[in-house]
Amino acid sequence: MTSRPRIFSGIRASGDKTLGNYSGGFRQYVATQEHGDAFICIVDLHSITTAYEPEGLREATLSLAALLFATGLDPERSTVFAQSHVAAHAEAAWLLSAVTSFGELRRMTQFKDKSEQQEFISAGLFTYPVLMAGDILLYQAALVPVGDDQRQHIELARDVAERFNQRYGDTFTIPEGVIPDEGARIKNLQEPERLMSTTAGAPQGVVRMIDRPDVVRKKFKTAVTDSGSEIRHAPEEKPGISNLIEIMSVATGDPIASIESRYDGGGYGRFKDDVAEAVVALLEPIQQRYESLRDDPGELRRLLTVGADKARATSEPTLRAMYDRMGFVTPGAAGSA
Ligand code: ATP
Ligand code: LTN
């Protein structure tokens, strides 16, 4: 029997999730459970690194759990849990901060971008990638499905793992990012030079996974297109249309080339309407499942508790090995030698 690879990914419990998150995140998480053991972590400890409301965080955590199950994560096969339920994550971050340099963290572009949007720049926003490295390394994950914006953070996690292994002895699997060929950088429909995100950019260009069909249709109708009328995937030259083609590909599973040839000479108007319908068809069943799951917070808490128990048992041996190799005294029972 071939062994199944260990897979880990994290997703922030903040704001509403977008079509970009679906494409780089949710879609990949579900696909990976076919060939590996997936640990999908709602990274609530990461959520407190930028301004937030405590009640909003509680709400966002449960809503995100509902959305993860609604997109097809199966609690029998995948481990879905909240980061704060497994103390090893906070501990690993502190230990790994000894093998991460200030200079490495200062180069992180997400820190540069996000700190510009904050009035109060928390120390946690700066050390965020260390917590993320710990998330991955604690599970000895081989594969980490993410969108393109996380490339630099994955690279850092690999560097930290290698440094730890060299300094303290072989402890961690070196993880690899899994970034889809298409749909790893979904752009804002109004500003196709900018990533689709709820934290920056024109809200009219951000399609949320829980947007109603009429809202989705309106956002696509007003999407910015490029000069000319050709439906061709050329991100540099035609960023607006290329983005819509990628969204169509993500929503239907059709390859880009077949979308191009199907709409050859068809004009922008009809294409935009068809992309909107494909996205509505993708989201509608997810939204139905989401609503029924969200109506039962007790069940969501139960599922997260089961996930946390499994995550705790899986990460514990690696955390113990980290303490031990770094030279900490192992606590023993009182009275033992
Ligand atoms: P925020 O917008 O709240 O700062 P985020 O959306 O980048 O955060 P997450 O919700 O944790 O953060 O992201 C979940 C996954 O979605 C990550 O793997 C991330 O790389 C991916 N992702 C985020 N935006 C996009 C996008 N526009 N296109 C493709 N993938 C994306
Ligand atoms: N940093 C990621 C979220 C994240 C993550 C992780 C992703 C936290 N820990 C571990 C993959 C693996 C983000 O900002 N989207």
Side-chain angles (χ1 to χ4, degrees):
M1 207 178 83
T2 54
S3 68
R4 288 158 65 83
R6 179 72 58 73
I7 296 159
F8 186 96
S9 197
I11 177 162
R12 279 164 65 104
S14 70
D16 296 323
K17 297 295 134 181
T18 69
L19 205 51
N21 295 131
Y22 176 78
S23 181
F26 295 85
R27 176 175 69 122
Q28 295 211 84
Y29 310 151
V30 174
T32 56
Q33 73 187 349
E34 302 306 324
H35 63 264
D37 286 325
F39 286 76
I40 306 298
C41 181
I42 300 173
V43 293
D44 50 359
L45 297 174
H46 279 101
S47 302
I48 65 170
T49 58
T50 50
Y52 80 100
E53 294 293 332
E55 271 317 309
L57 177 58
R58 235 184 301 275
E59 176 66 32
T61 303
L62 291 175
S63 297
L64 180 54
L67 203 51
L68 286 166
F69 294 121
T71 49
L73 280 177
D74 169 6
E76 296 289 318
R77 283 188 291 166
S78 300
T79 308
V80 177
F81 69 104
Q83 193 182 26
S84 64
H85 291 178
V86 182
H89 291 255
E91 294 181 61
W94 182 254
L95 299 183
L96 293 176
S97 72
V99 285
T100 313
S101 77
F102 178 79
E104 282 174 316
L105 292 175
R106 202 171 39 182
R107 285 197 289 278
M108 294 292 120
T109 55
Q110 183 170 303
F111 172 71
K112 291 184 204 164
D113 295 345
K114 289 216 168 177
S115 58
E116 278 169 15
Q117 299 162 22
Q118 306 299 313
E119 207 172 297
F120 177 85
I121 302 169
S122 71
L125 187 61
F126 187 67
T127 56
Y128 179 114
V130 186
L131 180 59
M132 172 164 165
D135 295 341
I136 300 166
L137 301 180
L138 274 173
Y139 295 84
Q140 305 289 351
L143 303 174
V144 187
V146 284
D148 189 66
D149 63 307
Q150 295 302 311
R151 209 179 270 279
Q152 201 185 22
H153 287 161
I154 304 279
E155 208 42 56
L156 180 75
R158 290 168 59 90
D159 291 345
V160 164
E162 275 166 9
R163 193 171 299 132
F164 190 103
N165 284 351
Q166 256 167 21
R167 216 179 266 184
Y168 301 110
D170 236 356
T171 308
F172 298 126
T173 303
I174 309 298
E176 242 176 78
V178 181
I179 297 169
D181 291 336
E182 284 149 22
R185 300 186 68 82
I186 298 294
K187 307 291 177 26
N188 185 301
L189 303 184
Q190 293 292 319
E191 302 168 84
E193 62 294 338
R194 176 201 276 281
L195 276 189
M196 185 180 282
S197 158
T198 46
T199 45
Q204 177 69 9
V206 180
V207 179
R208 292 162 195 254
M209 289 173 69
I210 55 170
D211 276 346
R212 294 277 146 230
D214 52 325
V215 175
V216 173
R217 291 189 183 106
K218 201 179 266 168
K219 286 179 178 171
F220 279 99
K221 220 175 237 334
T222 56
V224 167
T225 45
D226 317 289
S227 56
S229 62
E230 236 185 320
I231 300 189
R232 184 163 52 85
H233 190 253
E236 297 287 314
E237 207 186 312
K238 297 169 84 71
I241 280 296
S242 301
N243 190 39
L244 293 177
I245 295 175
E246 288 200 33
I247 291 173
M248 186 68 149
S249 170
V250 167
T252 59
D254 295 341
I256 286 183
S258 84
I259 296 169
E260 286 175 326
S261 62
R262 187 161 5 119
Y263 287 93
D264 190 18
Y268 287 165
R270 200 190 108 213
F271 181 57
K272 287 208 279 188
D273 289 346
D274 285 6
V275 179
E277 290 316 315
V279 171
V280 167
L282 168 76
L283 296 181
E284 264 188 327
I286 294 175
Q287 293 175 353
Q288 278 168 12
R289 287 192 292 269
Y290 168 76
E291 267 149 36
S292 69
L293 285 155
R294 195 62 194 88
D295 279 346
D296 193 352
E299 174 62 4
L300 289 170
R301 279 177 203 269
R302 188 189 70 78
L303 290 170
L304 289 179
T305 304
V306 171
D309 289 344
K310 191 158 165 228
R312 221 175 277 119
T314 307
S315 55
E316 181 69 15
T318 301
L319 183 71
R320 288 298 134 226
M322 289 168 74
Y323 276 116
D324 182 48
R325 294 186 183 156
M326 289 179 85
F328 293 95
V329 172
T330 312
S336 67

